Amino acid sequence: MLACAVHFYFFSPQDWNLTWHTENPDFTQCFQNTVLVCIPCIYLWVCFPVYFLYLRCHDRGYIQMSNLNKAKTALGLILWIVCWADLFYSFWERKNIFRPPFFLVMPTVLGITMLLATFLIQYERIKGVQSSGVMTIFWLISLSCATVVFRSKIKHALNTGAEVDAFRYVTFCIYFILLLVQLILCCLPERPPLFSETVNDPNPCPESSASFLSRITFWWITGLMVQGYRRPLEAKDLWSLNKEDKSEEIVPGLARNWAKEWAKTKRQPLNMLYSPKKQQKSSDSNGDVTEEAEALIIKPSQKSSEASLFKVLYKTFGPYFLMSFLFKAAHDLLMFAGPEILKLLINFVNNKAAPNWQGYFYTGLLFFCACLQTLILHQYFHICFVTGMRLKTAIVGVIYRKALVITNSARKTSTVGEIVNLMSVDAQRFMDLATYINMIWSAPLQVILALYLLWQNLGPSVLAGVAVMILLVPINAVMAMKTKTYQVAQMKSKDNRIKLMNEILNGIKVLKLYAWELAFREKVLEIRQKELKVLKKSAYLAAMATFTWVCAPFLVALSTFAVYVTIDKNNILDAQKAFVSLALFNILRFPLNMLPVVISSIVEASVSLKRLRVFLSHEELDPDSIIRAEGCIVVKNATFSWSKNDPPSLNCINFTVPEGSLVAVVGQVGCGKSSLLSALLGEMEKKEGYVVVKGSVAYVPQQAWVQNATLEDNILFGREKNESRYKRVIEACALLPDIEILPTGDKTEIGEKGVNLSGGQKQRVSLARAVYCNADVYLCDDPLSAVDAHVGKHIFEKVIGPKGILKNKTRVLVTHAINYLPQMDTILVMSDGEISEMGSYQELLKQDGAFAEFLRTYANAEQSMENSDTNSPSGKEGKPTENGVLVNEAPGKLMQRQLSNSSTYSRDAGKSQHRSSTAELQKPLAEKNSWKLTEADTAKTGRVKATVYWDYMKAIGLFISFLSIFLFMCNHIASLTSNYWLSLWTDDPVINGTQQYTNVRLGVYGALGISQGIAVFGYSMVVSIGGIFASRHLHLNLLHSVLRSPMSFFERTPSGNLVNRFSKEIDTIDSTIPPIIKMFMGSTFNVIGACIIILLATPIAAVIIPPLGLVYLFVQRFYVATSRQLKRLESVSRSPVYSHFNETLLGVSVIRAFEEQKRFIKQNDMKVDENQKAYYPSIVANRWLAVRLEYVGNCIVLFAALFAVIARNKLSAGLVGLSVSYSLQITAYLNWLVRMSSELETNIVAVERVKEYAEMEKEAEWSIEQTAPASTWPEEGKIEFRGYGLRYREDLDLVLKNINVTINGGEKIGIVGRTGAGKSSLTLGLFRINEAAEGEIIIDGINIAKIGLHDLRFKITIIPQDPILFSGSLRMNLDPFDQHSDEDVWRSLELAHLKTFVSSLPDKLNHECAEGGENLSVGQRQLVCLARALLRKSKILVLDEATAAVDLETDKLIQSTIKSQFEECTVLTIAHRLNTIMDYTRVLVLDRGEVVECGSPDHLLQEKGIFYSMAKDSGLV
């Protein structure tokens, strides 16, 4: 009965007359009572099972009953009662009148549905849903259906003489009003659930508590936008992340899935070989850096068994991401609504008889579809971006966790630079891919749908267009592949360039002292040149790609129309065919353009995926290689190597250390002492044998690792603070005097790598950290080498020795200091990786072996160790610091630190940034505790200035800039003209079933298209080449100015910032800015063009376009203020992630030894979350903006269609088609334009940041033609200080004052003085690292302040305190300018006692030094520095007590070499060990920056002054 009623009413012809062909449309009674009632019911019942399951799985906590909830529930029940009132009324009525059955069925169904709705309202409350989309949509659909019925009822009632069913009218009115109220209530969000995190969060993200409407329109972020518009945002304004976006939620999930996947493949044997290049290396090689691609060679047969990282990522993020599929599919279908409605509109304009309301109906429908499309699209994007963000968080977290456990051999294959690149570049690739990946299925879907509709429109002619497209696909594919190979090449150059830059920044002090900047600048530029070559090739490709992109749609349209009109005279190109086809072609354009981008993006991501997989598959340290058990330390028949394939570094090691004993390990430089400790820590690969270490371990590395944190945090190292213990430790480690002079005591922030501590202080902090942690076993790697002798003595007595704090612990001490050996329980003597002798001091003397011989040789040297220089704990001196300079003692003033023992490299990766400190520049701040050392990467505020764009244009070249703009104009004028020509063509009258002039029309159309193509190719080439000019120019300036910056600049700039400039910012300028400029210009002209066309067709639109334009501009400006600042905050919070990561990699052995991995992982997670906190609002802000702007675009569509409908009698169909098809595109263009303009603005910041460093203060000129001294200068080597004074900064006191000394050529001068007396400052003045404040220094009659820095520094040689090498050949390290012959180089090596070592290397002089010279021992590095000095052989040699890290034999060799080789030269030695200068001609004694004593050593000893007291301390008198 029901079906027949519906069928009869719905399809009878008179119904159409009632509903469609009429001036006043309406639905039939039957349709209203059945279909319109069913729609909401069907919707809710279909959603219910899925939604119910979703709620069961996602429980967010329980929401308490609120008035809002009570009201919603009550209304739901009343609605049910109203529906069933109708039902009972129908039963009652049946007695009198017969009604069709739907009068009973429909109220029943509706009533049950209302009950279901009420149930859902309560169920949502229990599950913690604050605002429900499902319910909002349900009430909206119900209300829309009811509105139609309501209008019909009113119309019926107004109709005179119609009978009115009073009861049903009343119930319906109540029903309608209740629905309206329900909808309004449904838009209000509930209170947050109990026990949810937002309650105790100080600044929760408003998203979770926002209503459904606010969520789909992204209204909830408006508060932040307003705030950002009023004043620049700061970090404290940002919301906390949602729980599901935090690292602690995301990373473990990925890690678990990867571990499972990895375990699966682990079961099959995997043949991993580190590339063979390495096996020839010396056994201590710990830094051969090869490109990741060479890292793993896997036998082809095992190809199948690689762990699939993609599968793991999919498992982790797939479920949430799947939602985006649905949204994307819905959006794709809606896209085709536009052209279909356009078809109907054109028909409507052509059909003069059609009633007006149909036009308005189409217009409304067009607007509705557009708006719905907008909302769906941005939900889709939001999901994609959030997935991308989570991906990045997860990847960074996993890489960090992995970096803490990989073996040393694996460390060699991935340099720190590469690992940081994995975190920045590769993780970014995944983020980009997340937004594109759906195009893989969506693009083909769109193409198929479009082709289907085109076929319907134009028939088989479409095939011509399809053929063109198919031809273009392989071309695009080839380009994508090519681009990909270039990309790999560019990445490789980039990795190398960043690695080199890192080293330059690490060793900048050495470069300045040796005047080597130019040699290294050339090295960088050489790599850069390769990089630019590849970039240029990519640019040509990009130009080709853009050409095919822009011309593809046009060529397709041209070929299709040409075939269509030529195959049959009767085929008429009318407006409907032409413009609907054009609209479809425009839709086609996007997927076709996107496919190559997506493919290349996937290819990039797959490269990244591989790099990541290789890194995550690296071997991990075997935690079980060392058994943690009873028996203290036992090693039986153990053999160790640094990696599986290296020859063993330690052979047949056997020894036992009883609990609580003190063991010394002694031996020559490079004999494996440090390796032995690494082996006990489990850092080496155990080939065979058995190792037991009992209990917890504390480790003091040879080169102290200090974190960028307060001194106190460095010592506590994450443990609880116990005041009395802390005090005892500090006192024992002789840190009290140092703490006194630090600006804020132990709360002072220590710079990156400890730049504001001297070497000795760092070593003592490192020791204090170990002592404080109260472990069972102490492994100390020569902790006494960097400290002065009496401090060493104090530390030995108070800490390490038999009476020290650690007297009951087990201690293994590597040392060069002989004088402590008698107090040891056992001594291990090592040579060439084996233990040659072992026993107590007495036993070894009795054995009369190598050790006894060694002791006899140095018995006389023993007292020399107990030596000079201050810091004596007995308190003879006011305020010592080690090699530090105390600038003023006035309380409250800031102290200035000057270091000679500036900063050191650590064993594992000298990669990270290391700056030695010459003068710390702090801002004099009022409060003491705000003393900060390093300047954080600051965020600029406000708009990017126009000058930045101007700078960029100048960098490109003004001619090229204006040429590109001109070509853009040509392209767009051609494009507009061709479409206007098409509209004239479609309006040609049809005579006898054909159009005249078809060929002329077609010819002109084609010609316009070709000219458009030429212009496109032109501007694309010009912009790309211009971009390369700009990036070459900007990089050169940046490099030059960074190298020309004074030392003080490097001290206060964390190297992370500098590396960031060279990697991230230069990368942006290279490869991001040019394409963005192209797209920005393109969209600008597109929007202008569309507006012009709409104005041509309907001039009345002039009333509406300007106000919409203003709204658009306002929204855009409003948005940019916030977005730009968020982007800046994001990039500023990115630096700490990398800095912390770098720091971790440097100290990874310490972190592992102390078992602090968990804490560091947590810190890393926090830093990543801080970064994402700024990123999340910025992606939401993008969506917010896009939704607002697309609404502006949708309004333009609305008005273009509306005015066309209003003026339908005056307009031709061709113009209507043209105007509406352009307006349909305008939304996309507007969206794109804003994205591009904000992208341009955020990316151009890179230029601003690069310029900012390019305009820093510079040091003096490198060489000055006019005053350049003769090439033989200095002939005599006579140095005069005349009234010389030096200060570190304008507002500080003098560090050296009133120095008047004449040093004659060939004199040997020792410079001594208590710590902080200004010894090192004197050498810095001599090299003009700091310029004189008063007075002058004259060398051989030339005032050094008047000549260029290089002229000066080339002529003086220094052997610095820290031996720094650069990665490259050994030869390059000795002679970077290639000025000397090989014979000279070998001779210098021979004199430096390195000849035998170098000859034994397979590559001899071309032996590759690792980053920071990691693969040579510290002592060998020191000898290389000596060889450098011998090679330069200048008249003046400065020795900064360079023998701290060398054993006594080597020390003696160095001293004798200097005596014999530099006999004629003037030698200045800053002495820590007085015995080295006892035979010098004269000694200068400095105190508080003044020369207090000067004369021969014997003479000064008789005077009984300061020198005498120092000599007495050292036991020389």
Side-chain angles (χ1 to χ4, degrees), residues 527-560:
I527 300 179
R528 179 73 178 152
Q529 201 47 49
K530 279 187 206 153
E531 205 179 344
L532 286 173
K533 230 185 192 156
V534 175
L535 264 177
K536 204 172 234 164
K537 289 182 190 162
S538 311
Y540 294 144
L541 265 182
M544 285 298 297
T546 311
F547 174 69
T548 48
W549 259 43
V550 177
C551 295
F554 182 82
L555 287 173
V556 172
L558 178 65
S559 53
T560 309

Side-chain angles (χ1 to χ4, degrees), residues 182-355:
Q182 267 293 28
L183 180 63
I184 293 166
L185 289 182
C186 206
C187 294
L188 305 172
E190 289 278 354
R191 60 174 81 170
L194 289 173
F195 317 120
S196 79
E197 268 129 35
T198 47
V199 181
N200 26 18
D201 195 334
N203 197 2
C205 180
E207 182 183 12
S208 53
S209 54
S211 70
F212 172 69
L213 283 180
S214 159
R215 271 211 189 129
I216 57 171
T217 56
F218 297 98
W219 184 258
W220 53 270
I221 195 184
T222 312
L224 189 70
M225 306 291 277
V226 172
Q227 205 176 359
Y229 186 67
R230 291 204 181 123
R231 62 172 175 74
L233 289 173
E234 293 159 38
K236 61 172 193 293
D237 302 324
L238 301 174
W239 308 309
S240 314
L241 280 175
N242 292 326
K243 181 163 174 276
E244 55 272 22
D245 296 330
K246 285 190 176 149
S247 295
E248 55 200 32
E249 287 287 314
I250 298 169
V251 186
L254 182 64
R256 267 197 310 274
N257 287 337
W258 170 251
K260 275 184 213 156
E261 177 73 20
W262 182 225
K264 265 189 229 163
T265 55
K266 252 316 214 245
R267 288 181 214 130
Q268 304 149 321
L270 244 182
N271 296 345
M272 287 210 173
L273 293 175
Y274 283 95
S275 63
K277 272 176 113 169
K278 250 155 258 123
Q279 286 147 9
Q280 310 129 16
K281 296 292 167 218
S282 67
S283 59
D284 193 18
S285 150
N286 179 21
D288 178 34
V289 179
T290 48
E291 176 57 26
E292 289 257 323
E294 300 167 34
L296 289 182
I297 299 170
I298 294 178
K299 293 276 170 69
S301 58
Q302 262 87 23
K303 203 66 181 154
S304 56
S305 65
E306 286 174 5
S308 155
L309 185 57
F310 180 74
K311 214 188 293 175
V312 174
L313 291 173
Y314 178 75
K315 234 190 238 164
T316 319
F317 301 104
Y320 174 74
F321 192 61
L322 275 170
M323 287 283 292
S324 66
F325 282 30
L326 304 172
F327 284 127
K328 185 72 180 141
H331 171 255
D332 287 354
L333 294 174
L334 274 173
M335 266 171 70
F336 291 100
E340 289 306 293
I341 296 169
L342 175 62
K343 191 195 251 178
L344 297 170
L345 248 180
I346 293 176
N347 283 347
F348 164 76
V349 172
N350 280 335
N351 173 9
K352 303 295 180 204

Side-chain angles (χ1 to χ4, degrees), residues 1276-1279 1301-1310 1435-1437 1462-1469 1479-1484 1494-1496:
E1276 190 186 351
K1278 178 179 176 187
I1279 307 173
V1301 179
T1302 300
I1303 298 168
N1304 297 314
E1307 277 196 293
K1308 307 285 178 280
I1309 304 285
K1435 264 294 185 217
I1436 298 174
L1437 173 70
F1462 292 97
E1463 209 173 340
E1464 267 95 77
C1465 308
T1466 311
V1467 180
L1468 303 179
T1469 304
D1479 53 356
Y1480 278 23
T1481 2
R1482 277 194 292 166
V1483 176
L1484 289 184
C1494 176
S1496 69

Side-chain angles (χ1 to χ4, degrees), residues 74-83 139 143 171-185:
L75 287 176
L77 292 170
I78 297 170
L79 276 168
W80 165 67
I81 293 167
V82 170
C83 295
W139 296 121
L143 188 68
T171 53
F172 185 78
C173 287
I174 296 172
Y175 171 76
F176 184 77
I177 291 164
L178 289 176
L179 281 181
L180 187 63
V181 178
Q182 267 293 28
L183 180 63
I184 293 166
L185 289 182

Side-chain angles (χ1 to χ4, degrees), residues 248 1157-1167:
E248 55 200 32
Q1157 293 97 320
K1158 280 223 172 57
R1159 183 168 66 90
F1160 275 82
I1161 286 173
K1162 200 165 177 179
Q1163 273 182 8
N1164 179 59
D1165 286 354
M1166 270 170 53
K1167 289 187 159 61

Side-chain angles (χ1 to χ4, degrees), residues 1291-1311:
D1291 49 350
L1292 294 166
D1293 295 354
L1294 291 171
V1295 196
L1296 292 176
K1297 35 193 181 285
N1298 177 10
I1299 298 212
N1300 289 297
V1301 179
T1302 300
I1303 298 168
N1304 297 314
E1307 277 196 293
K1308 307 285 178 280
I1309 304 285
I1311 302 172

Side-chain angles (χ1 to χ4, degrees), residues 1008-1209:
L1008 285 168
I1010 290 163
S1011 55
Q1012 185 185 340
I1014 294 167
V1016 170
F1017 189 69
Y1019 80 65
S1020 189
M1021 284 297 289
V1022 169
V1023 172
S1024 300
I1025 299 298
I1028 289 177
F1029 285 160
S1031 64
R1032 167 180 293 146
H1033 179 75
L1034 290 166
H1035 177 262
L1036 191 64
N1037 279 2
L1038 174 66
L1039 180 63
H1040 188 70
S1041 56
V1042 164
L1043 289 177
R1044 286 258 339 255
S1045 300
M1047 221 30 241
S1048 54
F1049 166 75
F1050 296 97
E1051 265 129 37
R1052 43 163 212 273
T1053 314
S1055 51
N1057 300 2
L1058 278 166
V1059 172
N1060 214 346
R1061 296 287 189 278
F1062 278 101
S1063 57
K1064 193 86 181 141
E1065 318 299 359
I1066 291 288
D1067 188 48
T1068 303
I1069 294 170
D1070 283 349
S1071 45
T1072 318
I1073 293 181
I1076 286 180
I1077 287 180
K1078 272 189 245 182
M1079 294 189 224
F1080 172 71
M1081 301 285 285
S1083 4
T1084 312
F1085 283 114
N1086 277 336
V1087 170
I1088 295 169
C1091 290
I1092 291 173
I1093 291 283
I1094 293 173
L1095 287 171
L1096 275 179
T1098 49
I1100 189 173
V1103 182
I1104 226 62
I1105 286 180
L1108 282 176
L1110 284 173
V1111 170
Y1112 175 86
L1113 276 174
F1114 170 71
V1115 167
Q1116 204 253 8
R1117 290 265 45 105
F1118 187 71
Y1119 153 82
V1120 167
T1122 306
S1123 148
R1124 188 182 45 230
Q1125 204 52 24
L1126 285 171
K1127 187 96 175 195
R1128 281 176 175 158
L1129 285 173
E1130 193 264 332
S1131 73
V1132 168
S1133 64
R1134 196 177 337 131
S1135 292
V1137 176
Y1138 300 153
S1139 296
H1140 178 244
F1141 188 60
N1142 260 327
E1143 197 169 70
T1144 306
L1145 285 173
L1146 286 180
V1148 72
S1149 51
V1150 178
I1151 296 170
R1152 288 198 281 235
F1154 283 91
E1155 295 182 334
E1156 283 288 310
Q1157 293 97 320
K1158 280 223 172 57
R1159 183 168 66 90
F1160 275 82
I1161 286 173
K1162 200 165 177 179
Q1163 273 182 8
N1164 179 59
D1165 286 354
M1166 270 170 53
K1167 289 187 159 61
V1168 172
D1169 287 348
E1170 275 303 304
N1171 184 15
Q1172 300 293 32
K1173 240 160 87 169
Y1175 178 70
Y1176 185 66
S1178 76
I1179 54 182
V1180 178
N1182 278 335
R1183 303 279 67 83
W1184 178 93
L1185 169 80
V1187 171
R1188 307 286 173 285
L1189 290 186
E1190 287 199 14
Y1191 270 89
V1192 172
N1194 296 343
C1195 289
I1196 292 181
V1197 175
L1198 174 71
F1199 288 115
L1202 190 64
F1203 293 143
V1205 171
I1206 292 171
R1208 63 190 269 215
N1209 301 324

